[in-house]
Amino acid sequence: MGHTYPGATVPFGAVQLSPETDSISYELNGKYNGEVYKYCAGYRYEDKTITGFSSTHFSGTGHSDLGDFLIMPTVGKLQLNPGTATHPENGYRSRFSHQNEKAEAGYYRVKLDDYNILAELTASSRTGVHRYTFPQSDQAHIILDLTAGIYNYEGKNIWTYVRIENDGTVTGYRQTNGWARTRTVYFAMKFSKPFKSYGQKNYDGQQSYRGFWRKFDQTKNFPEIAGKNLKIYFDFDTREQEAIEIKLAISPVSQNNALENLEKETGTLSFDQVKAKAQEEWNKELNKIIIKGSDTEKVNFYTALYHTFISPTTYMDINGEYKGLDQNIHKAEDFIHYTTFSIWDTYRALHPLFNIIQPKRNNDMVKSMMAHYQQFSMKMLPIWSHYANDNWCMSGYHSVSVVADAIIKGNYNGDPKEALKACVATAGKREYEGIGYYIDRGYIPDEKNGTSVSNTLEYAYDDWAIAQLAKHLGETEIYNEFIRRSENWKNNFDSKIGFMRPRLADGSFKKDFDVLSTHGQGFIEGNSWNYSFFVPQNPDELINAMGGKKKFASKLDELFTMHLPDEFFADTEDITREGIIGGYVHGNEPAHHVAYLYNRAGQPWKTQAQIRRILEMQYKAAPDGLGGNDDAGQMSAWYILSSLGFYPVAPGSEDYSTGSPAVEHAVLNLENGKTFEIEAVNQSPKNVYVQKILLNGKEIKDFTLKHSEIMNGGKLIFHMSSKPRK
Amino acid sequence: MGHTYPGATVPFGAVQLSPETDSISYELNGKYNGEVYKYCAGYRYEDKTITGFSSTHFSGTGHSDLGDFLIMPTVGKLQLNPGTATHPENGYRSRFSHQNEKAEAGYYRVKLDDYNILAELTASSRTGVHRYTFPQSDQAHIILDLTAGIYNYEGKNIWTYVRIENDGTVTGYRQTNGWARTRTVYFAMKFSKPFKSYGQKNYDGQQSYRGFWRKFDQTKNFPEIAGKNLKIYFDFDTREQEAIEIKLAISPVSQNNALENLEKETGTLSFDQVKAKAQEEWNKELNKIIIKGSDTEKVNFYTALYHTFISPTTYMDINGEYKGLDQNIHKAEDFIHYTTFSIWDTYRALHPLFNIIQPKRNNDMVKSMMAHYQQFSMKMLPIWSHYANDNWCMSGYHSVSVVADAIIKGNYNGDPKEALKACVATAGKREYEGIGYYIDRGYIPDEKNGTSVSNTLEYAYDDWAIAQLAKHLGETEIYNEFIRRSENWKNNFDSKIGFMRPRLADGSFKKDFDVLSTHGQGFIEGNSWNYSFFVPQNPDELINAMGGKKKFASKLDELFTMHLPDEFFADTEDITREGIIGGYVHGNEPAHHVAYLYNRAGQPWKTQAQIRRILEMQYKAAPDGLGGNDDAGQMSAWYILSSLGFYPVAPGSEDYSTGSPAVEHAVLNLENGKTFEIEAVNQSPKNVYVQKILLNGKEIKDFTLKHSEIMNGGKLIFHMSSKPRK
């Protein structure tokens, strides 16, 4: 359920070169096919066959797209259909086994049993490098299946184009209408060995104007091919153990740019050299945090850290050009332009983590969001954006949190006033998902919007973040307006039952309501039990509203210990049974801050115990190691921060809430040259309780660590014990 | 049948803004719909309704495409379907009458009767300007129907995109798969008055990912729209007689470039100012030849001259950028890049005419052809190219004639050796339409190709043109090879019957053969009677082969006097009954040089009489004034040259064959500053025979005028008479 992929990428790379284990259609008989969900990342561990290796993947998402430029090597009779999982021999796919599979940072390999081909993958930022070691054959093929893709359906390809530049170089593009409504990825590929011949099959049926088909035989060795459903193949003679390498670069702008990306990144480099560079890059990034601990702990920690450094992904050619939301070509002059913003997830811990350990990149990510805002005709910051599109997936306008958090933490070198303006404009978009009602009434009538409560709660938090930014910039009027809006959560709080609850247009609460159910109750990816704690911006008032600290802590206890009946579990999205603890759903994001709320309710030892329990239960370096989608790194970022001993309950503030570190010792190598050291004295799996916290020798008593305290460098010591300090 | 359009364009302009009188599908029940042929230019004089005004049109073609960005103003209830010719009230189309219609160079206007709207059109090179004068209404609309197009069919739109930049500016693109397989035109439009609201209807059915549809109401005032079947509308309140102007610029590269084109060409100009500039441009170009004659003669002459200055069309943004055949963006550094090359037609007289009167543009057209060659992965010069595509329509590789003719006439400032290389490469493309057979055997077996004879004849002429260029450049080996190939016409000449005739693979002539029939006999757009004279490169040997001058002249007599039975006329493409004289088909191109062959057969007076007869019969300034498609200016170029008294029988040579001028007097204002004067002494409709020709006082006795003699300036005097000088 993690929806991560095992293939090769470099940190925040544009290319994610990874195997696909099946080709499942997004639609079946015109309806959404639930099976496709398992293939968000292209790869499913349970599968026995591989259909090929494609250049682009999301890491950990709960919806998908991409899977561009599927390549499959075969020997023997040419077969252009993928075949089926049960009858792989009827198509180009191959059986494989996990024994013959290895995944490293920046490297992946697998033996394709049906062809006796060793497939290896590595990557630079914009270029994937394939190496296929063939048996002796005079019928070796490399197939480029342009009809393949993730979350594909009949008609998803708007257009594809392939141009054979010469007998070793191919360029083209794939243009799709999917999660990104209008998306084109250009490619350039170079073979290490010239192909002896090539051909294509176009499954479109006859194209309208047939004249040009008469003039040439376009099925064999014809160098300009275009259509919606193309498959291309390249033929080779191979010696025993002969390796053919393919470099395939992508570009959001043009084939020429793809060629330039390929040349400048990997021009004369061999597969092994590209791999060595990729692994060097990973080592550099992963060394930003050095921990001590058991091997298992290290595997867990660096797996999580690896996952946090995958997306957002670079979306810009080596010459700085990228296609903007306005479909024009822009140039990023002084920053790296990123895409793949799963912000509903990542504003919580991933971007805050970046503010500590990747501040330069986070600065550029905020600039990328600002470019989005400027290029979008509606002038909104991104909601869920990829490849010059916003799919507006999930709720809230949490870019404002990312923007505010970065600026407040001193980590934005653009114009902060312009950034505030973008936040205010986004929050003022009346026509967007109930915002007009929210502004006018302080809540969204349930009749008007299916996720009226979670929207209101999330808008209220976001408005608080805007208010913090306004305060930071001395914009009192904006502060006043938005701090007022940030209290709107109260309008959905039903004090009679002590839960958040949908309200109707007439002001009354929805009658038919179940606090355990997820669907149709006014929430998205969470039930009222989880969302009722979603006031990260003002837990003290929430505690009051819920009857004071004691009652509040008991309610948290109930959340972590209750049994969620199967009927309600079934409609909880994107998680497994292992993804929940009692009624607490860690596999989805809305509750990610909840365990830290015990700190405010006067029972910090329960925060400590729950955090350690979640760290242990919800993260394993195994095929089913995550209790829910990794969500573009958010789940992993939670792991990193929590295992270091602190967490940003409300990004947009300098404050981190302390928990219980899982590491024995950690050193954060900060970009400013300073180091921040964390030590857990008397650490053990049982010693989950914190007796004392010392920052540079001075005790922290309020369970709060400040961002600047980390960035100034120093040492944080946790004294651990098996007994809670009450 | 002329397939010209009445709308507004400037000389060689990128925009051709013109009315559409119906929307006929290219396909009906999956098959070609013959009716669509009538709408090649969008406009049919017989029609009673107008469906709108679109930005791009071909002039005079026999197949079509384009019709981008159909705009229609209406008042009253919004209707987004075009309605039908019989029930215009059921759609947005309007009735009109020719009384309320006026077409000038660079200007068109028509009254839309159903709405009481006066529609006016004018243009700069890349920007069309619409002016709609409305009645008083609070329901005035301007519709942009992106589903409309010429030679449209279900699925022709690959993708369209519209972005509302603000309440007066709209950008977007239309991407189609038609005659051009892969073609995208970007647009930017500005309204002179802000629209009060706007909306869209998407006829695609639901798009795959529906998430983004939930977040906004995208049908009204939503500024980013994309799909395959979109219609957009803009609403206005109008006062009585209020004019709304729309500037709509196009670009082959991007919306930004379209905006730049719009701003730089027409930024602050009013409709009337753009019109004045357009007409000034036309006056400048049309004044390159100044004739004396009756008003009818002038109307005919300048109508023809107008038609010769429409295409090839500018295909380059004002910043020099264009999309090349390789789908990359290129910049034309030192020339205007053109497209719309209908070369099978235009190599004959249009490009030769340009070598006299538009040498700078013809130089740039050759450069555009060379860019095509360099950008096409197969390395071929264009056959029939438009918008970064080759549709390979018609036969031969006549670009080589255009290239050779320009270079031999001293009218190419690129690298002539590279140009020769391009010609040789093109002629060596074995896999293209029988060229391999042609090279190996000297003819194309009829079994292998349906137009084996016309291909062989045309290749042979083209090869002669390559030989002339090679000779000009001192490339003896290439000369020898291609002058040998230029004799291949002999392989299809059946001396037994005295006609060109298909040959089979075994070397024998096709048995079942009819010299009058056009289809299935080995020819394209012509029967053996017309094609048997197609040896423009070596008429003397053809005359020998046909039994000497006398027999040859008699055969020509028979051609011009025979009766073509209806059964054979019916399958003669693209012409009307008026388009033929006896069996001579002027409405198609293969015989365009034929009347001049009498000169070589010792009966020049018959050339003179026939030319005058054709000029009079085949060209009228009337709705049915042309006997066949104007073919991108070739028919009109024949008129211009022939009415001036000379014609290039074999482009690639300096020689023009003299005929009988129709003008009384003409002055050619050459770009080199010189003038060439033509006088027809004793001219009258009956005095069609030439008694004497004096060039600068010196008699021409061989009926041959040299290109350099024209370009040096001077005076050519024809002494006319009603009696032939035998």
Side-chain angles (χ1 to χ4, degrees):
Chain A
M1 272 290 184
H3 288 185
T4 58
Y5 58 80
T9 189
V10 295
F12 308 97
V15 157
Q16 306 85 29
L17 182 57
S18 188
E20 251 67 279
T21 60
D22 215 331
S23 50
I24 300 291
S25 177
Y26 176 59
E27 290 184 337
L28 206 61
N29 306 321
K31 291 192 177 151
Y32 174 71
N33 171 15
E35 280 297 294
V36 75
Y37 176 76
K38 298 173 183 165
Y39 292 89
C40 277
Y43 180 96
R44 200 168 155 253
Y45 195 79
E46 296 86 331
D47 288 347
K48 306 290 182 212
T49 62
I50 281 177
T51 59
F53 307 92
S54 80
S55 296
T56 56
H57 294 82
F58 287 132
S59 180
T61 56
H63 194 98
S64 206
D65 214 358
L66 313 183
D68 304 287
F69 315 127
L70 186 87
I71 284 179
M72 182 69 184
T74 70
V75 292
K77 184 175 161 253
L78 179 71
Q79 297 197 91
L80 290 179
N81 72 303
T84 59
T86 44
H87 289 288
E89 64 281 3
N90 293 342
Y92 59 65
R93 78 173 69 200
S94 170
R95 293 174 190 86
F96 77 107
S97 82
H98 295 303
Q99 278 124 312
N100 296 324
E101 194 183 26
K102 183 165 194 184
E104 298 174 4
Y107 176 71
Y108 172 86
R109 86 162 176 246
V110 68
K111 172 88 170 301
L112 300 171
D113 291 335
D114 291 353
Y115 303 117
N116 191 24
I117 292 171
L118 179 68
E120 294 171 284
L121 312 175
T122 188
S124 60
S125 179
R126 299 162 184 89
T127 310
V129 188
H130 311 233
R131 178 162 68 187
Y132 300 120
T133 304
F134 284 86
Q136 192 278 324
S137 174
D138 56 3
Q139 282 190 75
H141 313 288
I142 289 174
I143 295 165
L144 169 61
D145 187 345
L146 288 168
T147 72
I150 299 174
Y151 270 47
N152 235 22
Y153 62 96
E154 178 71 31
K156 179 168 180 178
N157 272 6
I158 295 171
W159 202 243
T160 60
Y161 172 83
V162 176
R163 173 181 158 93
I164 313 298
E165 306 271 345
N166 57 49
D167 63 3
T169 307
V170 181
T171 64
Y173 62 77
R174 177 175 185 241
Q175 183 179 5
T176 53
N177 164 228
W179 206 15
R181 182 157 57 181
T182 301
R183 172 176 167 275
T184 305
V185 192
Y186 298 84
F187 75 91
M189 66 195 281
K190 289 205 167 189
F191 294 84
S192 61
K193 172 181 177 159
F195 34 85
K196 65 175 178 181
S197 57
Y198 63 96
Q200 65 124 339
K201 196 157 160 53
N202 185 338
Y203 294 80
D204 288 353
Q206 209 158 21
Q207 290 185 345
S208 158
Y209 177 66
R210 287 134 200 162
F212 40 66
W213 295 102
R214 282 201 302 259
K215 301 289 178 153
F216 296 102
D217 171 7
Q218 299 196 18
T219 60
K220 280 290 280 183
N221 300 317
F222 185 77
E224 299 255 1
I225 306 155
K228 295 175 189 175
N229 296 286
L230 297 177
K231 302 188 187 206
I232 325 289
Y233 59 91
F234 305 93
D235 306 317
F236 298 86
D237 293 330
T238 50
R239 298 183 314 279
E240 185 65 27
Q241 291 294 302
E242 180 174 1
I244 296 178
E245 291 183 16
I246 302 170
K247 292 173 178 169
L248 192 154
I250 62 172
S251 160
V253 171
S254 68
Q255 293 144 238
N256 269 354
N257 277 13
L259 269 173
E260 188 185 357
N261 291 341
L262 190 153
E263 289 303 335
K264 292 212 170 141
E265 285 187 353
T266 66
T268 58
L269 302 183
S270 68
F271 181 94
D272 292 327
Q273 286 171 315
V274 175
K275 177 187 169 195
K277 276 188 79 168
Q279 299 200 323
E280 196 181 304
E281 267 189 75
W282 274 115
N283 273 330
K284 184 184 149 223
E285 297 295 339
L286 296 173
N287 271 313
K288 288 192 165 172
I289 306 180
I290 297 178
I291 68 158
K292 281 183 194 158
S294 70
D295 279 359
T296 306
E297 278 159 6
K298 282 185 182 168
V299 165
N300 279 343
F301 188 90
Y302 288 108
T303 296
L305 196 59
Y306 171 85
H307 285 145
T308 66
F309 290 170
I310 289 178
S311 50
T313 56
T314 299
Y315 179 69
M316 170 183 108
D317 289 322
I318 208 155
N319 65 10
E321 291 181 346
Y322 66 95
K323 185 175 282 180
L325 213 75
D326 57 3
Q327 304 295 305
N328 282 309
I329 306 307
H330 297 265
K331 195 159 186 172
E333 295 292 351
D334 59 350
F335 68 105
I336 295 174
H337 187 268
Y338 290 95
T339 193
T340 316
F341 285 106
S342 182
I343 305 172
W344 182 82
D345 303 298
T346 58
Y347 84 90
R348 300 167 202 259
L350 185 69
H351 289 285
L353 173 65
F354 290 162
N355 276 330
I356 299 171
I357 208 72
Q358 296 280 4
K360 167 76 181 79
R361 291 192 199 265
N362 204 54
N363 174 67
D364 290 358
M365 288 167 194
V366 173
K367 289 198 163 178
S368 304
M369 291 178 181
M370 286 299 295
H372 178 113
Y373 158 76
Q374 281 145 2
Q375 289 156 13
F376 182 24
S377 54
M378 290 195 83
K379 301 297 172 209
M380 281 180 80
L381 288 162
I383 305 296
W384 206 126
S385 66
H386 72 290
Y387 283 82
N389 283 265
D390 203 327
N391 57 50
W392 299 301
C393 190
M394 300 308 293
S395 50
Y397 33 81
H398 303 300
S399 283
V400 306
S401 162
V402 179
V403 169
D405 198 46
I407 295 175
I408 286 166
K409 289 174 179 166
N411 189 22
Y412 182 57
N413 67 9
D415 177 354
K417 298 255 178 190
E418 184 66 19
L420 175 62
K421 197 175 141 198
C423 293
V424 170
T426 304
K429 209 54 67 186
R430 298 182 60 87
E431 57 272 46
Y432 183 75
E433 223 190 359
I435 291 181
Y437 297 108
Y438 171 85
I439 290 173
D440 294 343
R441 301 167 169 250
Y443 72 96
I444 303 165
D446 191 56
E447 302 96 316
K448 301 297 182 186
N449 186 279
T451 56
S452 63
V453 189
S454 52
N455 283 343
T456 296
L457 297 176
E458 297 190 12
Y459 295 159
Y461 158 71
D462 289 335
D463 290 345
W464 173 85
I466 295 173
Q468 302 314 301
L469 176 58
K471 188 162 82 179
H472 182 81
L473 299 175
E475 296 280 356
T476 312
E477 255 180 70
I478 296 175
Y479 171 78
N480 289 338
E481 178 188 351
F482 281 88
I483 204 70
R484 188 183 48 70
R485 283 172 53 153
S486 77
E487 294 180 18
N488 280 340
W489 62 270
K490 295 173 183 168
N491 299 322
N492 274 113
F493 185 73
D494 180 358
S495 56
K496 289 215 182 102
I497 62 167
F499 284 93
M500 301 293 174
R501 184 172 185 170
R503 266 174 94 174
L504 305 179
D506 67 7
S508 68
F509 286 106
K510 180 179 176 357
K511 298 232 156 41
D512 183 22
F513 176 63
D514 193 312
V515 290
L516 284 171
S517 177
T518 291
H519 281 300
Q521 303 294 319
F523 302 94
I524 188 163
E525 287 198 17
N527 56 16
S528 181
W529 253 109
N530 278 271
Y531 262 107
S532 289
F533 296 103
F534 193 81
V535 189
Q537 71 275 27
N538 203 345
D540 295 344
E541 278 216 47
L542 178 68
I543 289 167
N544 286 341
M546 286 188 172
K549 290 188 179 183
K550 217 169 153 193
K551 271 190 136 174
F552 183 83
S554 301
K555 197 160 190 168
L556 285 177
D557 291 347
E558 191 181 346
L559 175 68
F560 283 103
T561 53
M562 69 194 298
H563 177 72
L564 186 65
D566 282 346
E567 59 183 297
F568 297 119
F569 172 73
D571 66 9
T572 303
E573 287 178 58
D574 295 4
I575 57 155
T576 61
R577 254 296 173 196
E578 291 71 36
I580 63 176
I581 298 173
Y584 169 84
V585 182
H586 192 72
N588 281 330
E589 274 71 10
H592 272 193
H593 67 295
V594 166
Y596 287 91
L597 295 182
Y598 279 115
N599 280 346
R600 303 301 282 248
Q603 303 187 14
W605 60 89
K606 289 189 180 165
T607 288
Q608 294 152 21
Q610 290 298 356
I611 294 301
R612 293 292 286 271
R613 195 171 159 210
I614 298 167
L615 286 168
E616 200 191 322
M617 285 180 65
Q618 300 287 314
Y619 298 86
K620 289 187 183 67
D624 57 350
L626 294 171
N629 305 154
D630 193 53
D631 285 321
Q634 165 58 25
M635 288 280 279
S636 290
W638 192 97
Y639 182 92
I640 297 298
L641 288 165
S642 290
S643 69
L644 292 175
F646 51 88
Y647 188 84
V649 167
S653 145
E654 274 238 62
D655 294 353
Y656 300 92
S657 204
T658 60
S660 171
V663 298
E664 266 177 60
H665 183 268
V667 176
L668 277 58
N669 294 306
L670 304 175
E671 280 183 10
N672 61 14
K674 297 179 178 165
T675 56
F676 188 72
E677 203 178 336
I678 295 157
E679 194 178 345
V681 177
N682 205 25
Q683 176 69 292
S684 86
K686 290 203 168 156
N687 293 354
V688 301
Y689 296 106
V690 176
Q691 299 303 311
K692 195 163 61 173
I693 310 176
L694 296 170
L695 175 66
N696 300 326
K698 203 178 153 195
E699 188 169 357
I700 289 178
K701 296 193 169 176
D702 60 354
F703 307 100
T704 301
L705 180 69
K706 292 218 170 290
H707 183 74
S708 53
E709 292 168 345
I710 299 172
M711 303 314 279
N712 289 336
K715 186 161 184 178
L716 184 69
I717 302 177
F718 293 87
H719 287 271
M720 310 303 293
S721 160
S722 62
K723 301 259 155 44
R725 178 182 168 187
K726 294 194 177 174
Chain B
M1 273 293 183
H3 289 185
T4 57
Y5 58 80
T9 189
V10 295
F12 307 98
V15 156
Q16 307 85 29
L17 182 57
S18 188
E20 252 67 280
T21 60
D22 217 331
S23 50
I24 299 292
S25 177
Y26 175 59
E27 290 184 337
L28 206 60
N29 307 322
K31 289 191 179 155
Y32 173 72
N33 170 15
E35 281 297 292
V36 75
Y37 176 77
K38 298 173 184 165
Y39 292 90
C40 277
Y43 180 95
R44 198 166 154 255
Y45 194 79
E46 296 87 331
D47 287 348
K48 306 290 182 213
T49 63
I50 280 176
T51 59
F53 307 92
S54 80
S55 296
T56 55
H57 294 82
F58 287 132
S59 180
T61 56
H63 194 96
S64 206
D65 215 359
L66 314 183
D68 303 289
F69 314 126
L70 186 86
I71 284 179
M72 183 69 184
T74 70
V75 292
K77 184 176 161 253
L78 179 70
Q79 298 197 92
L80 290 178
N81 72 301
T84 59
T86 44
H87 289 289
E89 65 281 1
N90 293 342
Y92 59 64
R93 76 173 71 199
S94 171
R95 294 176 190 85
F96 76 108
S97 83
H98 295 304
Q99 278 123 310
N100 295 326
E101 194 184 27
K102 182 163 193 184
E104 298 174 4
Y107 176 70
Y108 172 86
R109 86 160 175 247
V110 69
K111 173 88 168 304
L112 300 171
D113 291 334
D114 291 353
Y115 303 117
N116 191 24
I117 293 172
L118 179 69
E120 295 171 286
L121 312 175
T122 188
S124 60
S125 179
R126 298 162 185 88
T127 310
V129 187
H130 310 235
R131 179 163 66 187
Y132 300 120
T133 304
F134 284 86
Q136 193 279 326
S137 173
D138 55 3
Q139 283 190 76
H141 313 288
I142 289 174
I143 296 165
L144 169 61
D145 187 345
L146 287 168
T147 72
I150 299 174
Y151 270 49
N152 236 21
Y153 63 96
E154 179 69 32
K156 179 167 179 178
N157 272 6
I158 295 171
W159 202 243
T160 61
Y161 173 82
V162 175
R163 175 180 158 92
I164 314 299
E165 306 272 347
N166 57 49
D167 63 3
T169 307
V170 181
T171 63
Y173 62 77
R174 177 176 186 242
Q175 182 180 5
T176 54
N177 164 229
W179 206 16
R181 181 157 56 179
T182 301
R183 172 177 168 275
T184 305
V185 192
Y186 299 84
F187 74 92
M189 68 195 278
K190 289 205 169 192
F191 294 85
S192 62
K193 171 180 178 156
F195 34 85
K196 64 174 179 181
S197 57
Y198 62 95
Q200 65 124 341
K201 197 159 159 51
N202 185 338
Y203 294 80
D204 287 353
Q206 209 157 22
Q207 290 185 344
S208 159
Y209 177 65
R210 288 136 200 161
F212 40 68
W213 294 101
R214 282 200 304 258
K215 301 290 177 154
F216 296 102
D217 171 8
Q218 300 197 17
T219 61
K220 281 291 278 183
N221 301 316
F222 186 77
E224 299 255 0
I225 306 155
K228 294 176 189 173
N229 296 286
L230 298 177
K231 302 186 188 206
I232 325 290
Y233 59 90
F234 305 93
D235 305 318
F236 299 85
D237 293 329
T238 51
R239 300 182 312 277
E240 184 65 29
Q241 291 295 302
E242 181 174 358
I244 297 178
E245 291 182 15
I246 302 169
K247 291 172 177 168
L248 192 154
I250 63 172
S251 159
V253 171
S254 68
Q255 293 145 236
N256 268 354
N257 276 12
L259 269 174
E260 187 184 356
N261 291 340
L262 189 153
E263 287 305 332
K264 293 212 170 141
E265 284 187 353
T266 66
T268 59
L269 301 183
S270 69
F271 181 95
D272 292 327
Q273 287 171 315
V274 176
K275 178 187 167 193
K277 276 188 78 168
Q279 299 201 324
E280 194 182 304
E281 267 190 73
W282 275 114
N283 273 330
K284 185 182 149 223
E285 296 296 338
L286 296 173
N287 271 312
K288 287 190 165 174
I289 306 180
I290 297 177
I291 67 158
K292 283 184 193 158
S294 69
D295 278 358
T296 306
E297 279 160 4
K298 281 185 181 170
V299 166
N300 279 345
F301 188 91
Y302 288 108
T303 297
L305 196 58
Y306 171 85
H307 286 146
T308 65
F309 290 168
I310 289 177
S311 51
T313 56
T314 300
Y315 179 70
M316 171 181 108
D317 289 321
I318 209 156
N319 64 9
E321 291 181 347
Y322 65 95
K323 185 174 281 179
L325 213 74
D326 56 4
Q327 305 296 303
N328 281 308
I329 307 307
H330 297 264
K331 194 158 187 172
E333 294 293 351
D334 59 349
F335 68 105
I336 295 174
H337 188 268
Y338 290 96
T339 193
T340 317
F341 286 107
S342 182
I343 306 173
W344 182 82
D345 303 297
T346 57
Y347 84 89
R348 300 168 203 259
L350 185 70
H351 289 285
L353 173 66
F354 290 163
N355 276 330
I356 298 171
I357 207 73
Q358 296 279 6
K360 168 75 180 79
R361 290 192 199 266
N362 205 52
N363 175 67
D364 290 358
M365 289 167 193
V366 173
K367 288 196 165 179
S368 304
M369 292 179 180
M370 286 299 294
H372 178 114
Y373 158 76
Q374 280 146 1
Q375 289 156 10
F376 182 25
S377 52
M378 290 196 83
K379 301 296 171 206
M380 281 180 78
L381 288 162
I383 305 295
W384 206 125
S385 66
H386 72 289
Y387 283 82
N389 283 265
D390 203 326
N391 57 50
W392 299 302
C393 190
M394 301 306 295
S395 50
Y397 34 80
H398 301 300
S399 283
V400 306
S401 163
V402 178
V403 170
D405 198 46
I407 295 176
I408 286 166
K409 288 171 180 166
N411 189 24
Y412 182 57
N413 67 9
D415 177 354
K417 297 255 179 190
E418 185 64 20
L420 175 62
K421 197 175 139 196
C423 294
V424 170
T426 304
K429 208 56 65 186
R430 297 182 60 88
E431 57 272 47
Y432 183 75
E433 223 191 356
I435 291 182
Y437 296 109
Y438 170 85
I439 291 173
D440 294 342
R441 300 165 170 251
Y443 73 95
I444 303 165
D446 191 57
E447 302 97 315
K448 302 296 182 187
N449 186 280
T451 55
S452 64
V453 188
S454 53
N455 282 344
T456 296
L457 296 177
E458 297 189 14
Y459 294 159
Y461 158 71
D462 289 335
D463 289 344
W464 172 85
I466 294 173
Q468 301 313 301
L469 176 57
K471 189 162 84 179
H472 182 81
L473 298 175
E475 296 281 355
T476 312
E477 254 181 69
I478 296 175
Y479 172 79
N480 288 338
E481 179 189 349
F482 281 88
I483 203 72
R484 187 182 49 68
R485 281 172 54 152
S486 78
E487 294 179 18
N488 280 340
W489 62 270
K490 293 175 184 167
N491 299 322
N492 275 112
F493 185 73
D494 181 359
S495 55
K496 288 218 182 96
I497 61 167
F499 283 94
M500 299 295 174
R501 184 171 186 171
R503 265 173 95 174
L504 306 179
D506 67 7
S508 69
F509 285 106
K510 181 182 185 329
K511 298 237 154 40
D512 182 22
F513 177 62
D514 193 313
V515 291
L516 284 171
S517 176
T518 291
H519 281 301
Q521 304 294 319
F523 301 95
I524 188 164
E525 287 198 18
N527 56 17
S528 182
W529 253 109
N530 278 271
Y531 261 109
S532 289
F533 296 104
F534 193 81
V535 188
Q537 72 273 28
N538 203 343
D540 295 343
E541 278 217 46
L542 178 69
I543 288 167
N544 284 343
M546 285 189 172
K549 291 188 177 184
K550 214 166 153 193
K551 270 189 134 172
F552 184 83
S554 302
K555 196 158 188 168
L556 285 177
D557 291 347
E558 191 181 344
L559 175 68
F560 281 103
T561 53
M562 69 195 299
H563 176 73
L564 186 64
D566 281 345
E567 59 184 295
F568 297 118
F569 171 74
D571 66 9
T572 302
E573 286 178 59
D574 295 2
I575 57 155
T576 61
R577 255 293 174 199
E578 292 70 38
I580 61 174
I581 298 173
Y584 170 84
V585 181
H586 191 71
N588 281 331
E589 274 71 10
H592 272 194
H593 66 295
V594 166
Y596 287 92
L597 294 182
Y598 280 116
N599 279 346
R600 303 300 282 246
Q603 302 187 17
W605 61 90
K606 288 188 181 167
T607 288
Q608 294 153 21
Q610 289 298 357
I611 294 301
R612 292 293 286 271
R613 195 172 159 209
I614 298 166
L615 285 169
E616 201 191 322
M617 285 179 65
Q618 299 287 313
Y619 297 87
K620 289 186 183 66
D624 57 350
L626 293 171
N629 305 154
D630 194 53
D631 286 322
Q634 165 58 25
M635 288 279 279
S636 290
W638 192 97
Y639 182 93
I640 297 298
L641 287 164
S642 291
S643 68
L644 292 174
F646 51 89
Y647 189 85
V649 168
S653 144
E654 274 240 60
D655 294 351
Y656 299 93
S657 205
T658 61
S660 171
V663 297
E664 263 177 63
H665 183 267
V667 176
L668 278 58
N669 294 307
L670 305 174
E671 279 182 11
N672 61 15
K674 297 178 179 168
T675 56
F676 188 70
E677 204 179 335
I678 295 158
E679 194 180 345
V681 176
N682 205 25
Q683 175 67 292
S684 85
K686 289 198 169 160
N687 292 355
V688 301
Y689 295 106
V690 175
Q691 298 305 306
K692 197 162 64 173
I693 310 176
L694 295 171
L695 174 67
N696 299 327
K698 203 177 153 198
E699 188 169 358
I700 290 178
K701 298 196 168 174
D702 61 354
F703 306 100
T704 302
L705 180 68
K706 292 216 170 290
H707 183 73
S708 54
E709 291 168 346
I710 299 172
M711 303 314 280
N712 288 337
K715 186 161 184 178
L716 185 69
I717 301 177
F718 292 88
H719 287 271
M720 310 304 293
S721 158
S722 62
K723 300 260 153 43
R725 178 181 168 191
K726 296 196 175 174

